[in-house]
Amino acid sequence: MKKYFTLDKFSVKSISLTAAAIIMLWIKTYITYKLCFDIKIENGMQEFILFINPLCFLMAIFAIGLFLKDKRRPMFIMITSILITAVLYGNVVYYREFTDFLTIPLLMQAKDIGDLGGSIVSLLSPWDILFFLDIVLLGLIIKFKPSFVVNKSYSKTNRRVFLLLVVAIGFFNLGLAETERPQLLTRTFDREMLVKNIGTYNYHIYDAYLATKSSAQRALADGSELAEVENYVRANYKEPNSEMFGAAKGKNVILISMESTQNFVINNTVNGQEITPFLNDFIKESYYFDNFYHQVGQGKTSDSEFLVENSLYPLSRGAVFFTHSQNEYKATPEILNENGYTTASLHANGKSFWNRDVMYQALGYENFYDIESYNVTEENSVGWGLKDKEFFDQSIAHLKEMQATGKPFYAKFITLTNHHPYELDPEDASIEPFNSNSKTLNNYFPTVRYTDEALEQFINKLKEEGLYDDSIIVIYGDHYGISENHNAAMAQYLGKESITPFDSVQLQRVPFIVHMPNQKEGKVISKVSGQIDVKPTLLHLLGIDTKNNIEFGTDIFSKDKLDFTVFRDGSFVTKDYVYTRETLYDKKTGEPIEDKSVAEPYIEKAKQELEYSDKIIYGDLLRFNDKNKYDSK
Ligand code: GP9
Ligand code: MN
């Protein structure tokens, strides 16, 4: 009779090399989930799904080895284990800083990730060596061939049974995940949810599928899709505030992106000392928005630039500056060029960082003063490059070049010193670090103060040059600087017991300051708003109407502006509520609200806006917009 199973080889006395590799990686992945990622588990079933979710992928990938010659199999198993470990470890390192998982578009930017140099080293720990323990063990097993691990041959039947098992486990996993989390694969704003349910490896496969899909989407999109989005945008347009409209018409625009500056530093102290004395004074003679949120995704600074200049949302995966730099846009620089401005971005970093050199052309920038336009030396640099004070000093010459064109200018400045890991030369530190278990948070304060001083010097210089009263100055924080990885230290600093998801949302506020030419009296405006609102706000101040634009923000000065801001992951904030991680919070108390139905229209709106914005970007729909009218009144 034909022997179907070689049961003796499966006996407790020995295990196949394939099974050994699978089990080791499986256990390692699960331990990593528990120790290195902060995956919220609500019940036993979720824990069980988390536990089994690496198995299907690992079995599927090692199944390839079943078809190889016995001699080749150990090498295949070794290489596969190393690659899988590399993926897992890459995610761990990325997660430490960004509390998020890697995506394919992000890996395409590997060059920039490499540039993070210092940042990455600070994210490594000597304990990480443990990640490779099983690889060493596997190597020893392959070399010394102990009797309890065999490199067994697989019959046709064995292979079939194995593959069948892979499919069965796969469906079992998906089935459980679908009951726990309906529409899991159709709503992918949240990577944590995906990793939790289908596992980190399958998540990467799904991500690869999405990447392919998005390139197909552009090819398939047609103009009719724009009409639907346009209807939505038109219905949400709000009339500008008649007193503010055109109040800075024809003036220069100085837009400053402050690296990693969160709003909690404004009017606040550390060790009894003011953190941002200059900004605290400056807002007294400017409009200061204290409920203004950043809305960036994985593209960080570049996403904030995208939001601010297009009034479209960045993407839920990767940086739109990379993935969709070939699209048609109608961004602020292009609109201002058409309105007689000369436009430039000033940033002392390599021009291809975040693909800026390519994307800036799509946004309509006439000039990009990148690192080549600055004198950068060992002495005048720290951390990521040229120190902010030097950067602003040297930028004055560029502003003069722009002035020499005889046109008003639109100049965007991107600061750099206050960037993770917040390094500063001792002579540049005016205040002491904080004292907590987070070096990141501790060092954050002196670098924020340094940028504050750099801004002060710059504003004084603008005054000396006679540019100050001729310009509208807009300052915003690009995104958070202190990730959730530092929650314990943050709680200590804020004098709280812990940082809840509600607090985390509130910590995403960044400063937004608008200083009008000749403005002396300041005003604090507490309307809920975000980076998406900057473009219409600024254009209206310059007297350029936006009612024909396809964008999602609203002029913050408009009397009808809704108190509403959506984050890239679908969280949102209104006047009364904060919604995040599928929980609704009362903004006054910070406590969860059981009955979510009160916020249902907002939940819908948040979803709708992100979907429409994505549709525009994935389908490159603005190429179908022939109504590019931007008449100034
Ligand atoms: C890089 C700078 C920092 O040029 O804008 O980028 P970030 O890491 O903050 O996205
Ligand atoms: Mn940044």
Side-chain angles (χ1 to χ4, degrees):
M1 217 182 99
K2 202 171 160 199
K3 214 170 154 196
Y4 283 99
F5 295 103
T6 47
L7 280 176
D8 51 334
K9 288 191 183 160
F10 272 115
S11 74
V12 276
K13 285 201 200 101
S14 74
I15 177 173
S16 76
L17 187 61
T18 307
I22 293 175
I23 291 172
M24 284 196 287
L25 279 168
W26 179 12
I27 295 173
K28 177 163 74 179
T29 310
Y30 182 68
I31 294 176
T32 305
Y33 285 165
K34 299 309 291 177
L35 297 184
C36 305
F37 302 141
D38 173 30
I39 299 175
K40 210 168 89 191
I41 296 290
E42 284 151 8
N43 54 43
M45 179 56 95
Q46 290 187 1
E47 189 70 65
F48 179 65
I49 296 174
L50 188 73
F51 176 66
I52 61 157
N53 76 28
L55 188 56
C56 165
F57 170 85
L58 292 174
M59 285 179 74
I61 199 94
F62 282 103
I64 299 169
L66 270 49
F67 294 86
L68 297 177
K69 294 216 174 72
D70 290 357
K71 235 173 42 207
R72 300 225 160 153
R73 194 174 304 112
M75 189 47 101
F76 166 79
I77 291 178
M78 190 65 189
I79 292 175
T80 310
S81 299
I82 292 174
L83 288 178
I84 292 175
T85 300
V87 170
L88 187 66
Y89 183 58
N91 273 301
V92 167
V93 174
Y94 185 71
Y95 195 93
R96 283 193 186 137
E97 185 51 31
F98 300 109
T99 329
D100 199 352
F101 302 92
L102 288 166
T103 66
I104 294 209
L106 206 76
L107 290 176
M108 307 276 212
Q109 296 147 211
K111 202 193 119 300
D112 279 0
I113 295 184
D115 281 355
L116 296 178
S119 294
I120 289 195
V121 172
S122 75
L123 294 174
L124 306 183
S125 135
W127 291 103
D128 290 356
I129 206 89
L130 294 176
F131 271 98
F132 304 93
L133 216 60
D134 62 323
I135 304 283
V136 175
L137 200 63
L138 198 63
L140 292 175
I141 290 173
I142 291 172
K143 185 154 182 7
F144 296 107
K145 304 186 179 65
S147 60
F148 56 91
V149 186
V150 284
N151 177 21
K152 73 193 235 23
S153 308
Y154 295 87
S155 66
K156 217 172 181 179
T157 317
N158 279 169
R159 288 183 203 139
R160 281 191 193 149
V161 170
F162 193 93
L163 289 177
L164 218 67
L165 215 61
V166 173
V167 175
I169 293 177
F171 275 113
F172 179 60
N173 186 163
L174 257 185
L176 287 182
E178 190 63 27
T179 41
E180 257 309 306
R181 187 75 191 74
Q183 292 179 303
L184 175 69
L185 298 183
T186 46
R187 299 180 45 191
T188 44
F189 291 136
D190 188 351
R191 273 174 285 278
E192 180 187 315
M193 204 70 87
L194 276 174
V195 171
K196 180 162 130 182
N197 285 290
I198 62 171
T200 170
Y201 309 118
N202 289 330
Y203 150 72
H204 285 299
I205 291 181
Y206 180 66
D207 183 54
Y209 155 75
L210 284 184
T212 325
K213 193 172 111 193
S214 82
S215 61
Q217 263 168 338
R218 183 186 190 273
L220 296 174
D222 66 67
S224 62
E225 291 178 45
L226 187 64
E228 190 190 344
V229 182
E230 229 180 322
N231 285 340
Y232 175 85
V233 167
R234 299 281 166 264
N236 284 290
Y237 173 78
K238 304 280 185 267
E239 285 295 327
N241 178 323
S242 54
E243 277 161 44
M244 298 303 285
F245 188 88
K249 196 174 163 70
K251 297 291 182 188
N252 300 315
V253 180
I254 293 174
L255 183 67
I256 304 174
S257 160
M258 285 192 295
E259 180 57 48
S260 304
T261 308
Q262 289 176 231
N263 198 54
F264 74 84
V265 297
I266 303 288
N267 286 330
N268 212 341
T269 58
V270 68
N271 310 318
Q273 286 186 289
E274 253 184 310
I275 306 161
T276 58
F278 167 70
L279 284 176
N280 298 347
D281 283 344
F282 189 62
I283 58 179
K284 288 190 198 125
E285 45 196 62
S286 310
Y287 292 103
Y288 165 54
F289 300 84
D290 63 353
N291 263 316
F292 179 89
Y293 294 80
H294 83 78
Q295 296 160 294
V296 309
Q298 291 182 323
K300 307 300 288 299
T301 308
S302 69
D303 275 0
S304 72
E305 294 179 67
F306 186 79
L307 275 150
V308 163
E309 297 185 315
N310 288 295
S311 192
L312 296 172
Y313 294 94
L315 299 178
S316 61
R317 324 158 27 254
V320 58
F321 262 42
F322 266 96
T323 57
H324 294 82
S325 60
Q326 303 304 324
N327 275 17
E328 180 66 37
Y329 295 105
K330 195 75 191 178
T332 306
E334 185 177 335
I335 297 172
L336 291 184
N337 290 338
E338 289 169 2
N339 281 271
Y341 276 72
T342 176
T343 53
S345 175
L346 300 92
H347 181 45
N349 198 355
K351 64 175 188 313
S352 64
F353 200 96
W354 284 132
N355 202 28
R356 284 188 175 104
D357 52 343
V358 177
M359 188 59 162
Y360 279 176
Q361 289 177 23
L363 301 182
Y365 274 109
E366 289 177 337
N367 256 312
F368 178 17
Y369 293 99
D370 62 36
I371 194 161
E372 303 290 329
S373 307
Y374 292 86
N375 172 27
V376 184
T377 64
E378 186 91 348
E379 291 74 51
N380 69 14
S381 300
V382 70
W384 274 54
L386 189 64
K387 297 178 182 179
D388 287 347
K389 287 184 185 174
E390 276 287 331
F391 164 61
F392 281 123
D393 265 1
Q394 295 185 32
S395 294
I396 293 286
H398 301 316
L399 279 187
K400 286 188 173 159
E401 290 162 35
M402 295 183 80
Q403 241 190 331
T405 62
K407 298 176 176 179
F409 59 74
Y410 171 82
K412 174 167 77 182
F413 296 79
I414 304 171
T415 69
L416 199 53
T417 307
N418 187 42
H419 194 291
H420 182 266
Y422 309 112
E423 286 170 50
L424 211 54
D425 288 335
E427 70 268 21
D428 292 322
S430 306
I431 55 174
E432 290 295 309
F434 183 56
N435 187 8
S436 73
N437 67 2
S438 160
K439 222 174 122 200
T440 298
L441 181 64
N442 298 349
N443 293 342
Y444 181 66
F445 297 99
T447 47
V448 169
R449 162 61 88 89
Y450 173 82
T451 299
D452 183 72
E453 290 170 4
L455 281 169
E456 178 171 28
Q457 283 187 18
F458 182 51
I459 298 286
N460 287 337
K461 202 84 194 172
L462 290 176
K463 287 180 180 164
E464 278 171 36
E465 300 291 339
L467 283 166
Y468 185 67
D469 284 329
D470 247 352
S471 310
I472 167 167
I473 298 166
V474 179
I475 306 180
Y476 66 91
D478 64 350
H479 48 74
Y480 66 83
I482 305 300
S483 68
E484 291 178 34
N485 191 21
H486 310 279
N487 270 355
M490 191 57 138
Q492 181 192 334
Y493 172 71
L494 296 174
K496 286 175 173 276
E497 225 159 79
S498 67
I499 301 290
T500 65
F502 169 80
D503 298 324
S504 289
V505 167
Q506 292 301 70
L507 280 168
Q508 304 314 307
R509 278 178 288 196
V510 294
F512 180 51
I513 302 163
V514 175
H515 179 83
M516 300 295 286
N518 293 311
Q519 184 176 359
K520 299 282 177 288
E521 286 272 301
K523 190 172 174 190
V524 180
I525 299 179
S526 298
K527 187 127 286 180
V528 175
S529 53
Q531 290 167 334
I532 196 114
D533 300 315
V534 174
K535 182 188 180 191
T537 305
L538 178 63
L539 289 178
H540 283 174
L541 292 173
L542 298 175
I544 300 167
D545 192 27
T546 65
K547 67 169 174 290
N548 287 322
N549 294 12
I550 296 179
E551 54 196 28
F552 294 93
T554 313
D555 176 352
I556 315 183
F557 289 108
S558 165
K559 298 205 165 72
D560 306 322
K561 158 91 176 83
L562 274 186
D563 281 272
F564 180 67
T565 284
V566 190
F567 292 7
R568 188 50 259 195
D569 67 356
S571 302
F572 64 80
V573 185
T574 72
K575 203 165 185 224
D576 305 312
Y577 308 116
V578 159
Y579 179 81
T580 188
R581 293 181 166 205
E582 294 183 24
T583 308
L584 186 69
Y585 294 87
D586 183 324
K587 222 166 143 192
K588 276 188 215 84
T589 61
E591 293 299 321
I593 300 174
E594 274 297 312
D595 179 15
K596 277 191 269 193
S597 64
V598 284
E600 200 53 53
Y602 290 117
I603 297 178
E604 261 319 294
K605 186 175 163 63
K607 211 172 131 223
Q608 186 68 267
E609 279 209 14
L610 292 172
E611 272 174 23
Y612 278 151
S613 181
D614 286 353
K615 224 173 168 178
I616 290 183
I617 295 165
Y618 286 123
D620 189 9
L621 296 186
L622 294 184
R623 72 195 145 124
F624 301 118
N625 185 23
D626 47 14
K627 282 200 225 82
N628 288 331
K629 291 185 229 131
Y630 297 94
D631 323 310
S632 43
K633 276 191 182 164

